[in-house]
Amino acid sequence: MGFLPFVFPLAELEVGQHLYWQIGNFRIHGQVFMTSWLLIGALLALVVIGTKKMERDPKGVQNLLEFLWDYIRDLARTQIGEKVYRDWMPFIGTLFLFIFVSNWGGALVPWKLIELPSGELGAPTADINTTVALALLVSLSYFYAGLSNKGLRYFEYYVHPTPIMLPFKIVEDFTKPLSLSFRLFGNILADELVVAVLVFLVPLVLPVPVMFLGLFTSAIQALIFATLAAYYIGEAVEEHH
Amino acid sequence: MPTLFLFGASEGGLFDFDATLPLMAVQVVLLTFILNALFFKPVGRVVEEREDFVNTSRAEAKKKIAEVERLETELKEQLKEARLEAQKVILEAEQDSENLYKEALALATSEANASREKARREIDSQRDKALNQLKSEAENLGDLIVERLLANK
């Protein structure tokens, strides 16, 4: 029931335990969907409130949304380039917002108060399924971006400076989603574990700076994931002569 | 046993892949479309409208500033011309008044000279007349004296 070397009460940590929902022949991790729906709901509520009555002089939530929009546009534009960033901005922005909301939601909301029969609620991004899903979407989208923008000339990219690059570039197609998913998964899970272990060992004061550090890493991870996704798409649509 | 469990052979574990993965992918794609409709498009429209508004306003303001500067230089030019004109007028007026003064002086001088001359001539003529009268009277007197003397004889 537990997390390797600590056998005693750390069983509370419940790493690798899931609340299974059976749908037909498939099983899904219920706790991941429960938190992700709640967090997506909060995100959509914020968006709906902020865009309800938009004015030229922004007020309240509209300011926040415009700041986010501007931030995402700058991110997409610098990585993807002036020509096609508009097509990909919603995708990059959704990745950023979803990961950010998931990470912070996992760290800030006291999920522990809700008892589950098995497993525990937490950041959806601390589940490998979520991060791999996101990373595979990124892979699909950069292939799609390259092929739709340049047709079969996209494959010139694989032999670009010299044909020697071919094997490396093929390996890259596998390492990109692998590194994307494991970086996010590892950071968020590690953050949750560190906080949980510290809370167990020293339940006062000491975990607080680590929690702040966790918030910082969470935000950075969202930014890194979105930036890398945009960079891969930008690399795929880039015209090199 | 825990190691096996952690790396998820049969049930659970950290690396337990199942239908969560494709479902999550579908969910994120759906979220992309929803956010595009609810967030990216409307906010983008507002932000870009404002950017356009600011740009056109700035262009207009620049045009107005250019217009003002043009008018200012024009007015300055006009002011300079007016000043030059005014100086010319003043100069002319000064010259005119000087000429007038000189003329008046000359006229007055000549008049004064003329009246002095006239007076002198009058004095001369009166003196002459008086002298002549005196002379004639003297002669008359002389004649009378002579007559008387001769008569007495």
Side-chain angles (χ1 to χ4, degrees):
Chain A
M1 278 292 141
F3 184 58
L4 319 174
F6 315 90
V7 190
F8 35 101
L10 252 186
E12 308 263 322
L13 248 150
E14 303 187 60
V15 172
Q17 289 217 39
H18 306 290
L19 173 71
Y20 288 103
W21 288 350
Q22 190 82 28
I23 300 176
N25 286 327
F26 303 107
R27 291 202 306 180
I28 59 174
H29 296 168
Q31 84 278 13
V32 175
F33 284 101
M34 280 159 76
T35 44
S36 71
W37 290 338
L38 276 172
L39 294 170
I40 287 172
L43 176 65
L44 287 181
L46 184 78
V47 165
V48 168
I49 289 168
T51 53
K52 204 164 54 187
K53 200 163 117 295
M54 288 203 286
E55 290 165 65
R56 203 166 64 197
D57 300 333
K59 279 195 208 89
V61 187
Q62 193 191 340
N63 271 316
L64 175 68
L65 290 185
E66 284 191 11
F67 166 74
L68 283 175
W69 189 89
D70 218 42
Y71 187 73
I72 292 163
R73 178 179 66 170
D74 284 351
L75 199 157
R77 187 154 60 185
T78 46
Q79 298 300 332
I80 301 181
E82 201 65 53
K83 225 171 70 188
V84 290
Y85 82 90
R86 264 162 202 288
D87 302 339
W88 293 101
M89 200 183 130
F91 180 60
I92 302 298
T94 305
L95 284 179
F96 176 73
L97 291 176
F98 178 68
I99 295 172
F100 183 79
V101 166
S102 297
N103 294 352
W104 272 41
L108 290 178
V109 182
W111 300 107
K112 275 277 186 195
L113 298 179
I114 305 166
E115 284 285 337
L116 292 183
S118 166
E120 59 179 2
L121 295 176
T125 34
D127 188 289
I128 187 89
N129 287 281
T130 310
T131 61
V132 171
L134 294 172
L136 287 180
L137 283 180
V138 171
S139 290
L140 285 180
S141 47
Y142 79 71
F143 269 109
Y144 174 76
L147 289 172
S148 68
N149 265 277
K150 303 198 287 190
L152 288 177
R153 282 200 308 109
Y154 166 63
F155 294 105
E156 281 176 8
Y157 159 77
Y158 286 86
V159 290
H160 175 235
T162 76
I164 302 168
M165 294 302 284
L166 182 65
F168 301 107
K169 298 239 168 157
I170 290 171
V171 167
E172 246 187 6
D173 278 335
F174 293 97
T175 55
K176 275 172 184 174
L178 207 64
S179 63
L180 270 183
S181 55
F182 274 78
R183 181 185 305 113
L184 183 58
F185 167 68
N187 270 289
I188 303 311
L189 184 74
D191 174 45
E192 286 191 352
L193 291 183
V194 165
V195 171
V197 167
L198 272 179
V199 167
F200 165 71
L201 291 175
V202 192
L204 274 174
V205 188
L206 194 62
V208 174
V210 181
M211 284 174 181
F212 277 109
L213 184 69
L215 288 183
F216 179 68
T217 3
S218 297
I220 292 290
Q221 286 309 318
L223 176 63
I224 287 176
F225 197 100
T227 308
L228 280 176
Y231 173 74
Y232 294 153
I233 293 169
E235 203 179 33
V237 298
E238 186 192 19
E239 290 287 347
H240 30 66
H241 304 285
Chain B
M1 170 61 186
T3 326
L4 248 177
F5 181 70
L6 196 69
F7 293 96
S10 57
E11 175 96 344
L14 275 179
F15 299 94
D16 179 30
F17 290 100
D18 55 17
T20 310
L21 196 160
L23 222 61
M24 186 54 85
V26 171
Q27 181 172 300
V28 171
V29 171
L30 277 180
L31 183 64
T32 304
F33 283 104
I34 294 171
L35 279 183
N36 189 32
L38 290 184
F39 174 50
F40 292 103
K41 270 189 187 158
V43 174
R45 202 169 46 237
V46 169
V47 171
E48 273 163 8
E49 267 172 21
R50 181 176 321 110
E51 278 172 0
D52 282 353
F53 171 74
V54 168
N55 283 341
T56 50
S57 301
R58 184 179 289 167
E60 257 169 43
K62 264 188 189 157
K63 237 193 299 184
K64 275 183 188 156
I65 287 174
E67 176 81 11
V68 166
E69 273 169 1
R70 198 178 58 78
L71 284 176
E72 203 185 344
T73 49
E74 224 176 80
L75 282 178
K76 266 188 188 155
E77 199 67 26
Q78 281 184 7
L79 207 67
K80 219 164 80 182
E81 269 172 30
R83 209 170 273 155
L84 280 178
E85 198 109 322
Q87 264 172 2
K88 225 163 68 187
V89 168
I90 289 171
L91 212 69
E92 264 172 27
E94 271 177 358
Q95 239 154 23
D96 272 4
S97 69
E98 200 159 327
N99 283 349
L100 278 176
Y101 168 72
K102 272 184 194 157
E103 258 172 44
L105 194 67
L107 199 73
T109 321
S110 67
E111 244 168 48
N113 280 348
S115 61
R116 205 169 55 196
E117 199 65 21
K118 206 169 120 200
R120 208 178 56 215
R121 258 189 315 221
E122 215 163 279
I123 290 167
D124 279 357
S125 72
Q126 291 213 353
R127 199 176 57 196
D128 282 357
K129 223 160 90 187
L131 267 174
N132 283 343
Q133 214 178 343
L134 221 67
K135 215 186 254 175
S136 66
E137 264 176 33
E139 265 169 25
N140 282 350
L141 212 65
D143 283 354
L144 202 70
I145 292 169
V146 171
E147 245 169 65
R148 290 257 177 99
L149 281 176
L150 285 177
N152 277 352
K153 273 184 191 168

